[in-house]
Short mmCIF file of all heavy atoms in Angstrom, two decimals:
data_model
loop_
_atom_site.label_atom_id
_atom_site.label_comp_id
_atom_site.label_asym_id
_atom_site.label_seq_id
_atom_site.Cartn_x
_atom_site.Cartn_y
_atom_site.Cartn_z
N MET A 1 180.13 48.68 147.59
CA MET A 1 179.68 47.86 146.46
C MET A 1 178.17 47.61 146.52
O MET A 1 177.49 47.68 145.52
CB MET A 1 180.41 46.52 146.50
CG MET A 1 180.67 46.01 145.08
SD MET A 1 181.08 44.28 144.98
CE MET A 1 182.43 44.13 146.15
N ALA A 2 177.68 47.36 147.72
CA ALA A 2 176.25 47.05 147.86
C ALA A 2 175.41 48.32 148.05
O ALA A 2 174.20 48.26 148.02
CB ALA A 2 176.04 46.13 149.05
N GLU A 3 176.08 49.43 148.24
CA GLU A 3 175.35 50.66 148.52
C GLU A 3 174.39 51.01 147.38
O GLU A 3 173.27 51.41 147.61
CB GLU A 3 176.35 51.81 148.68
CG GLU A 3 177.38 51.55 149.77
CD GLU A 3 176.95 52.19 151.07
OE1 GLU A 3 176.27 53.21 151.00
OE2 GLU A 3 177.30 51.67 152.14
N ARG A 4 174.87 50.81 146.19
CA ARG A 4 174.06 51.21 145.05
C ARG A 4 172.79 50.36 144.96
O ARG A 4 171.73 50.83 144.59
CB ARG A 4 174.88 51.02 143.77
CG ARG A 4 174.38 51.90 142.65
CD ARG A 4 174.91 51.44 141.32
NE ARG A 4 176.35 51.58 141.21
CZ ARG A 4 177.05 51.15 140.15
NH1 ARG A 4 176.43 50.56 139.17
NH2 ARG A 4 178.34 51.30 140.11
N PHE A 5 172.89 49.12 145.34
CA PHE A 5 171.75 48.23 145.25
C PHE A 5 170.70 48.54 146.31
O PHE A 5 169.54 48.25 146.14
CB PHE A 5 172.19 46.77 145.40
CG PHE A 5 172.89 46.28 144.16
CD1 PHE A 5 174.25 46.12 144.15
CD2 PHE A 5 172.16 46.00 143.01
CE1 PHE A 5 174.90 45.68 143.00
CE2 PHE A 5 172.80 45.57 141.86
CZ PHE A 5 174.18 45.41 141.84
N LYS A 6 171.13 49.11 147.40
CA LYS A 6 170.18 49.40 148.47
C LYS A 6 169.10 50.37 147.99
O LYS A 6 167.93 50.17 148.23
CB LYS A 6 170.92 49.99 149.67
CG LYS A 6 170.09 49.95 150.93
CD LYS A 6 170.81 50.58 152.10
CE LYS A 6 169.88 50.61 153.31
NZ LYS A 6 170.44 51.45 154.37
N GLU A 7 169.52 51.39 147.32
CA GLU A 7 168.55 52.36 146.81
C GLU A 7 167.61 51.71 145.81
O GLU A 7 166.42 51.95 145.82
CB GLU A 7 169.30 53.51 146.13
CG GLU A 7 169.20 54.78 146.93
CD GLU A 7 169.82 55.94 146.18
OE1 GLU A 7 169.35 56.25 145.07
OE2 GLU A 7 170.78 56.52 146.70
N ALA A 8 168.14 50.89 144.96
CA ALA A 8 167.33 50.22 143.96
C ALA A 8 166.31 49.32 144.63
O ALA A 8 165.15 49.26 144.25
CB ALA A 8 168.21 49.40 143.04
N ASP A 9 166.72 48.62 145.65
CA ASP A 9 165.81 47.73 146.38
C ASP A 9 164.66 48.51 146.99
O ASP A 9 163.52 48.09 146.94
CB ASP A 9 166.57 47.02 147.50
CG ASP A 9 167.37 45.84 146.97
OD1 ASP A 9 167.18 45.50 145.78
OD2 ASP A 9 168.15 45.28 147.73
N GLU A 10 164.97 49.64 147.57
CA GLU A 10 163.91 50.41 148.20
C GLU A 10 162.87 50.85 147.19
O GLU A 10 161.69 50.86 147.45
CB GLU A 10 164.52 51.64 148.90
CG GLU A 10 165.22 51.24 150.19
CD GLU A 10 165.93 52.42 150.82
OE1 GLU A 10 165.88 53.52 150.26
OE2 GLU A 10 166.54 52.21 151.88
N ARG A 11 163.36 51.20 146.02
CA ARG A 11 162.43 51.63 144.99
C ARG A 11 161.56 50.46 144.52
O ARG A 11 160.38 50.61 144.29
CB ARG A 11 163.21 52.18 143.80
CG ARG A 11 162.57 53.45 143.30
CD ARG A 11 163.42 54.22 142.31
NE ARG A 11 164.50 53.53 141.71
CZ ARG A 11 165.76 53.94 141.74
NH1 ARG A 11 166.06 55.02 142.40
NH2 ARG A 11 166.70 53.27 141.14
N ILE A 12 162.16 49.32 144.40
CA ILE A 12 161.44 48.14 143.94
C ILE A 12 160.43 47.67 144.98
O ILE A 12 159.27 47.43 144.68
CB ILE A 12 162.44 47.00 143.64
CG1 ILE A 12 163.24 47.36 142.39
CG2 ILE A 12 161.70 45.69 143.45
CD1 ILE A 12 164.48 46.52 142.18
N PHE A 13 160.85 47.57 146.22
CA PHE A 13 159.98 47.00 147.25
C PHE A 13 158.87 47.94 147.67
O PHE A 13 157.90 47.53 148.28
CB PHE A 13 160.81 46.62 148.48
CG PHE A 13 161.66 45.41 148.23
CD1 PHE A 13 162.99 45.39 148.64
CD2 PHE A 13 161.14 44.30 147.61
CE1 PHE A 13 163.78 44.28 148.41
CE2 PHE A 13 161.92 43.19 147.37
CZ PHE A 13 163.24 43.18 147.77
N LYS A 14 159.00 49.19 147.31
CA LYS A 14 157.97 50.13 147.71
C LYS A 14 156.61 49.74 147.13
O LYS A 14 155.58 49.94 147.73
CB LYS A 14 158.35 51.53 147.22
CG LYS A 14 157.44 52.61 147.76
CD LYS A 14 157.92 53.96 147.32
CE LYS A 14 157.01 55.05 147.87
NZ LYS A 14 157.43 56.37 147.40
N ASP A 15 156.62 49.17 145.94
CA ASP A 15 155.38 48.82 145.27
C ASP A 15 155.03 47.34 145.41
O ASP A 15 154.10 46.86 144.80
CB ASP A 15 155.47 49.15 143.78
CG ASP A 15 155.47 50.65 143.56
OD1 ASP A 15 154.92 51.36 144.42
OD2 ASP A 15 156.01 51.08 142.55
N VAL A 16 155.80 46.64 146.22
CA VAL A 16 155.57 45.20 146.33
C VAL A 16 154.76 44.89 147.58
O VAL A 16 155.10 45.31 148.68
CB VAL A 16 156.91 44.44 146.38
CG1 VAL A 16 156.66 42.96 146.65
CG2 VAL A 16 157.66 44.61 145.07
N TYR A 17 153.69 44.16 147.38
CA TYR A 17 152.83 43.75 148.49
C TYR A 17 152.73 42.24 148.54
O TYR A 17 152.74 41.57 147.50
CB TYR A 17 151.44 44.37 148.34
CG TYR A 17 151.45 45.84 148.66
CD1 TYR A 17 151.98 46.76 147.76
CD2 TYR A 17 150.96 46.29 149.88
CE1 TYR A 17 152.01 48.11 148.06
CE2 TYR A 17 150.98 47.63 150.19
CZ TYR A 17 151.51 48.54 149.27
OH TYR A 17 151.54 49.87 149.58
N ILE A 18 152.59 41.73 149.75
CA ILE A 18 152.51 40.30 149.94
C ILE A 18 151.07 39.91 150.26
O ILE A 18 150.44 40.52 151.12
CB ILE A 18 153.41 39.85 151.11
CG1 ILE A 18 154.84 40.36 150.91
CG2 ILE A 18 153.38 38.34 151.27
CD1 ILE A 18 155.53 39.80 149.70
N CYS A 19 150.59 38.87 149.59
CA CYS A 19 149.25 38.37 149.86
C CYS A 19 149.23 37.71 151.24
O CYS A 19 150.10 36.92 151.57
CB CYS A 19 148.87 37.36 148.78
SG CYS A 19 147.28 36.57 149.09
N ARG A 20 148.24 38.08 152.04
CA ARG A 20 148.14 37.49 153.38
C ARG A 20 147.66 36.04 153.33
O ARG A 20 147.71 35.32 154.31
CB ARG A 20 147.16 38.31 154.24
CG ARG A 20 147.67 39.69 154.59
CD ARG A 20 146.64 40.42 155.44
NE ARG A 20 146.92 41.85 155.54
CZ ARG A 20 147.67 42.38 156.49
NH1 ARG A 20 148.21 41.62 157.41
NH2 ARG A 20 147.88 43.68 156.53
N LYS A 21 147.15 35.64 152.21
CA LYS A 21 146.58 34.32 152.09
C LYS A 21 147.60 33.32 151.54
O LYS A 21 147.83 32.27 152.13
CB LYS A 21 145.36 34.38 151.16
CG LYS A 21 144.39 33.26 151.37
CD LYS A 21 143.14 33.54 150.53
CE LYS A 21 142.07 32.50 150.80
NZ LYS A 21 140.89 32.73 149.97
N CYS A 22 148.20 33.67 150.40
CA CYS A 22 149.10 32.71 149.77
C CYS A 22 150.55 33.21 149.73
O CYS A 22 151.42 32.51 149.23
CB CYS A 22 148.62 32.37 148.37
SG CYS A 22 148.84 33.70 147.18
N ASN A 23 150.78 34.39 150.28
CA ASN A 23 152.14 34.94 150.35
C ASN A 23 152.78 35.22 149.00
O ASN A 23 153.99 35.34 148.91
CB ASN A 23 153.05 34.02 151.17
CG ASN A 23 152.71 34.06 152.64
OD1 ASN A 23 152.38 35.11 153.17
ND2 ASN A 23 152.78 32.93 153.30
N ALA A 24 151.96 35.34 147.99
CA ALA A 24 152.51 35.68 146.69
C ALA A 24 152.91 37.16 146.67
O ALA A 24 152.27 37.99 147.31
CB ALA A 24 151.49 35.41 145.60
N ARG A 25 153.95 37.46 145.94
CA ARG A 25 154.36 38.85 145.81
C ARG A 25 153.58 39.49 144.68
O ARG A 25 153.44 38.92 143.61
CB ARG A 25 155.86 38.93 145.50
CG ARG A 25 156.70 38.62 146.71
CD ARG A 25 158.10 39.13 146.53
NE ARG A 25 158.72 38.57 145.32
CZ ARG A 25 159.91 38.94 144.88
NH1 ARG A 25 160.60 39.86 145.52
NH2 ARG A 25 160.42 38.40 143.80
N ASN A 26 153.06 40.68 144.96
CA ASN A 26 152.31 41.40 143.95
C ASN A 26 152.87 42.80 143.82
O ASN A 26 153.03 43.51 144.82
CB ASN A 26 150.84 41.50 144.36
CG ASN A 26 150.18 40.14 144.39
OD1 ASN A 26 149.64 39.68 143.40
ND2 ASN A 26 150.23 39.47 145.53
N LYS A 27 153.15 43.19 142.61
CA LYS A 27 153.58 44.56 142.39
C LYS A 27 152.35 45.39 142.09
O LYS A 27 151.69 45.19 141.08
CB LYS A 27 154.57 44.63 141.23
CG LYS A 27 155.23 45.98 141.15
CD LYS A 27 156.54 45.92 140.41
CE LYS A 27 157.30 47.21 140.64
NZ LYS A 27 157.99 47.69 139.46
N VAL A 28 152.03 46.29 143.00
CA VAL A 28 150.82 47.07 142.84
C VAL A 28 151.12 48.56 142.93
O VAL A 28 152.03 48.98 143.63
CB VAL A 28 149.78 46.71 143.91
CG1 VAL A 28 149.41 45.24 143.83
CG2 VAL A 28 150.27 47.04 145.29
N HIS A 29 150.35 49.35 142.22
CA HIS A 29 150.54 50.79 142.25
C HIS A 29 149.44 51.44 143.08
O HIS A 29 149.58 52.56 143.53
CB HIS A 29 150.53 51.36 140.84
CG HIS A 29 151.68 50.85 140.02
ND1 HIS A 29 152.99 51.21 140.29
CD2 HIS A 29 151.74 49.99 138.98
CE1 HIS A 29 153.79 50.60 139.42
NE2 HIS A 29 153.06 49.85 138.62
N ASP A 30 148.35 50.73 143.26
CA ASP A 30 147.24 51.26 144.04
C ASP A 30 146.80 50.23 145.08
O ASP A 30 145.92 49.42 144.83
CB ASP A 30 146.08 51.59 143.09
CG ASP A 30 144.95 52.26 143.84
OD1 ASP A 30 145.12 52.56 145.04
OD2 ASP A 30 143.88 52.47 143.25
N PRO A 31 147.41 50.25 146.24
CA PRO A 31 147.14 49.25 147.29
C PRO A 31 145.68 49.22 147.71
O PRO A 31 145.17 48.19 148.14
CB PRO A 31 148.02 49.74 148.46
CG PRO A 31 149.08 50.56 147.83
CD PRO A 31 148.46 51.18 146.62
N GLU A 32 145.00 50.35 147.59
CA GLU A 32 143.61 50.41 147.99
C GLU A 32 142.75 49.48 147.13
O GLU A 32 141.71 48.99 147.54
CB GLU A 32 143.08 51.85 147.82
CG GLU A 32 143.82 52.86 148.67
CD GLU A 32 143.32 52.86 150.11
OE1 GLU A 32 142.10 52.76 150.29
OE2 GLU A 32 144.15 52.92 151.01
N ASP A 33 143.18 49.28 145.92
CA ASP A 33 142.38 48.53 144.96
C ASP A 33 143.13 47.30 144.46
O ASP A 33 142.89 46.80 143.37
CB ASP A 33 142.03 49.45 143.78
CG ASP A 33 140.92 48.86 142.93
OD1 ASP A 33 140.04 48.20 143.50
OD2 ASP A 33 140.95 49.03 141.70
N ALA A 34 144.06 46.82 145.28
CA ALA A 34 144.92 45.73 144.82
C ALA A 34 144.37 44.37 145.23
O ALA A 34 143.79 44.21 146.30
CB ALA A 34 146.31 45.91 145.40
N LYS A 35 144.56 43.44 144.34
CA LYS A 35 144.21 42.05 144.64
C LYS A 35 145.37 41.15 144.27
O LYS A 35 146.14 41.46 143.37
CB LYS A 35 142.97 41.63 143.84
CG LYS A 35 141.69 42.16 144.43
CD LYS A 35 140.49 41.64 143.65
CE LYS A 35 139.20 42.24 144.20
NZ LYS A 35 138.05 41.87 143.38
N CYS A 36 145.46 40.03 144.95
CA CYS A 36 146.51 39.08 144.65
C CYS A 36 146.35 38.55 143.24
O CYS A 36 145.25 38.14 142.85
CB CYS A 36 146.47 37.94 145.67
SG CYS A 36 147.66 36.64 145.31
N ARG A 37 147.44 38.55 142.51
CA ARG A 37 147.35 38.09 141.12
C ARG A 37 147.22 36.58 141.05
O ARG A 37 146.83 36.02 140.04
CB ARG A 37 148.57 38.55 140.33
CG ARG A 37 149.85 37.94 140.84
CD ARG A 37 151.07 38.51 140.11
NE ARG A 37 152.27 38.32 140.91
CZ ARG A 37 152.96 37.19 140.93
NH1 ARG A 37 152.55 36.17 140.22
NH2 ARG A 37 154.03 37.08 141.67
N LYS A 38 147.53 35.92 142.13
CA LYS A 38 147.46 34.46 142.13
C LYS A 38 146.10 33.93 142.58
O LYS A 38 145.48 33.12 141.93
CB LYS A 38 148.55 33.88 143.05
CG LYS A 38 149.86 33.62 142.32
CD LYS A 38 150.74 32.75 143.19
CE LYS A 38 151.96 32.27 142.43
NZ LYS A 38 152.83 31.43 143.25
N CYS A 39 145.65 34.41 143.76
CA CYS A 39 144.43 33.84 144.33
C CYS A 39 143.27 34.84 144.35
O CYS A 39 142.15 34.48 144.67
CB CYS A 39 144.70 33.30 145.73
SG CYS A 39 144.99 34.59 146.95
N GLY A 40 143.55 36.10 144.03
CA GLY A 40 142.48 37.07 143.96
C GLY A 40 142.11 37.67 145.30
O GLY A 40 141.23 38.52 145.38
N TYR A 41 142.77 37.25 146.36
CA TYR A 41 142.49 37.78 147.69
C TYR A 41 142.93 39.24 147.77
O TYR A 41 143.98 39.61 147.25
CB TYR A 41 143.26 36.93 148.71
CG TYR A 41 142.92 37.23 150.15
CD1 TYR A 41 141.64 37.02 150.64
CD2 TYR A 41 143.90 37.70 151.02
CE1 TYR A 41 141.34 37.28 151.95
CE2 TYR A 41 143.61 37.96 152.35
CZ TYR A 41 142.32 37.74 152.82
OH TYR A 41 142.03 38.00 154.12
N ASP A 42 142.13 40.07 148.44
CA ASP A 42 142.46 41.50 148.45
C ASP A 42 143.15 41.94 149.74
O ASP A 42 143.31 43.12 149.99
CB ASP A 42 141.22 42.34 148.17
CG ASP A 42 140.15 42.16 149.23
OD1 ASP A 42 140.38 41.39 150.18
OD2 ASP A 42 139.08 42.78 149.11
N GLY A 43 143.53 40.98 150.55
CA GLY A 43 144.25 41.32 151.78
C GLY A 43 145.75 41.29 151.55
O GLY A 43 146.36 40.25 151.69
N LEU A 44 146.29 42.43 151.21
CA LEU A 44 147.72 42.49 150.94
C LEU A 44 148.41 43.34 152.00
O LEU A 44 147.84 44.28 152.53
CB LEU A 44 147.98 43.09 149.56
CG LEU A 44 147.29 42.40 148.38
CD1 LEU A 44 147.62 43.14 147.10
CD2 LEU A 44 147.72 40.95 148.27
N ARG A 45 149.64 42.98 152.29
CA ARG A 45 150.41 43.80 153.22
C ARG A 45 151.69 44.23 152.52
O ARG A 45 152.20 43.54 151.64
CB ARG A 45 150.76 42.98 154.47
CG ARG A 45 151.66 41.79 154.17
CD ARG A 45 152.11 41.12 155.47
NE ARG A 45 152.84 39.89 155.19
CZ ARG A 45 154.13 39.87 154.87
NH1 ARG A 45 154.81 40.98 154.77
NH2 ARG A 45 154.74 38.73 154.63
N PRO A 46 152.20 45.41 152.91
CA PRO A 46 153.43 45.89 152.29
C PRO A 46 154.58 44.95 152.56
O PRO A 46 154.70 44.41 153.66
CB PRO A 46 153.67 47.25 152.96
CG PRO A 46 152.38 47.62 153.56
CD PRO A 46 151.68 46.34 153.91
N LYS A 47 155.40 44.77 151.56
CA LYS A 47 156.59 43.94 151.73
C LYS A 47 157.53 44.57 152.74
O LYS A 47 158.07 43.93 153.61
CB LYS A 47 157.29 43.79 150.38
CG LYS A 47 158.71 43.30 150.48
CD LYS A 47 158.79 41.86 150.08
CE LYS A 47 160.23 41.41 150.08
NZ LYS A 47 160.35 40.01 150.43
N ASN A 48 157.69 45.86 152.59
CA ASN A 48 158.58 46.58 153.49
C ASN A 48 157.76 47.52 154.37
O ASN A 48 157.22 48.51 153.90
CB ASN A 48 159.61 47.38 152.68
CG ASN A 48 160.70 47.91 153.59
OD1 ASN A 48 160.51 48.10 154.79
ND2 ASN A 48 161.85 48.13 153.03
N LYS A 49 157.65 47.19 155.64
CA LYS A 49 156.77 47.94 156.54
C LYS A 49 157.19 49.40 156.69
O LYS A 49 156.38 50.25 157.02
CB LYS A 49 156.76 47.29 157.91
CG LYS A 49 155.93 46.02 157.95
CD LYS A 49 155.93 45.44 159.34
CE LYS A 49 155.19 44.10 159.37
NZ LYS A 49 155.32 43.47 160.69
N GLU A 50 158.45 49.68 156.47
CA GLU A 50 158.94 51.05 156.64
C GLU A 50 158.27 52.02 155.69
O GLU A 50 158.26 53.21 155.92
CB GLU A 50 160.45 51.09 156.44
CG GLU A 50 161.18 50.45 157.61
CD GLU A 50 162.66 50.36 157.33
OE1 GLU A 50 163.11 50.88 156.30
OE2 GLU A 50 163.36 49.78 158.14
N PHE A 51 157.71 51.46 154.61
CA PHE A 51 157.09 52.34 153.63
C PHE A 51 155.60 52.49 153.87
O PHE A 51 154.94 53.24 153.18
CB PHE A 51 157.34 51.80 152.22
CG PHE A 51 158.76 51.98 151.80
CD1 PHE A 51 159.64 50.93 151.79
CD2 PHE A 51 159.22 53.25 151.45
CE1 PHE A 51 160.95 51.11 151.41
CE2 PHE A 51 160.52 53.45 151.07
CZ PHE A 51 161.40 52.37 151.04
N ALA A 52 155.07 51.78 154.84
CA ALA A 52 153.66 51.92 155.16
C ALA A 52 153.42 53.28 155.80
O ALA A 52 154.16 53.69 156.69
CB ALA A 52 153.23 50.81 156.10
N SER A 53 152.41 53.97 155.35
CA SER A 53 152.20 55.33 155.85
C SER A 53 151.06 55.40 156.86
O SER A 53 150.53 56.44 157.14
CB SER A 53 151.90 56.26 154.67
OG SER A 53 150.83 55.72 153.91
N GLU A 54 150.68 54.28 157.41
CA GLU A 54 149.59 54.29 158.39
C GLU A 54 150.11 54.63 159.77
O GLU A 54 151.11 54.11 160.18
CB GLU A 54 148.94 52.92 158.43
CG GLU A 54 148.28 52.56 157.10
CD GLU A 54 147.67 51.17 157.16
OE1 GLU A 54 146.65 51.02 157.86
OE2 GLU A 54 148.19 50.26 156.54
ZN1 LIG B 101 147.19 35.31 147.13
#
């Protein structure tokens, strides 16, 4: 039952980054040029570390 949602979650979280300052969730397509939509801070970390390619 939950299997189908797992794939959807991975797709969603891939573009989601968390602000290191205020912890707001930001959906970004270009992490290199991303800023927090709430506070404007540019220090974002991937929501799901498994998708980080560093
Ligand atoms: Zn922020």
Side-chain angles (χ1 to χ4, degrees):
M1 214 196 308
E3 302 264 330
R4 204 196 295 175
F5 286 106
K6 196 182 175 191
E7 250 186 60
D9 280 351
E10 284 175 0
R11 224 168 16 235
I12 290 165
F13 288 135
K14 189 176 180 183
D15 289 334
V16 174
Y17 286 75
I18 307 297
C19 175
R20 291 180 194 270
K21 203 172 185 182
C22 72
N23 288 322
R25 286 198 303 174
N26 294 271
K27 191 157 193 220
V28 301
H29 296 292
D30 185 6
E32 299 279 319
D33 195 34
K35 282 184 183 174
C36 176
R37 64 185 159 83
K38 270 194 171 180
C39 70
Y41 188 63
D42 62 1
L44 304 179
R45 63 173 174 83
K47 163 104 175 149
N48 191 334
K49 284 181 185 174
E50 288 174 5
F51 287 103
S53 53
E54 296 179 71

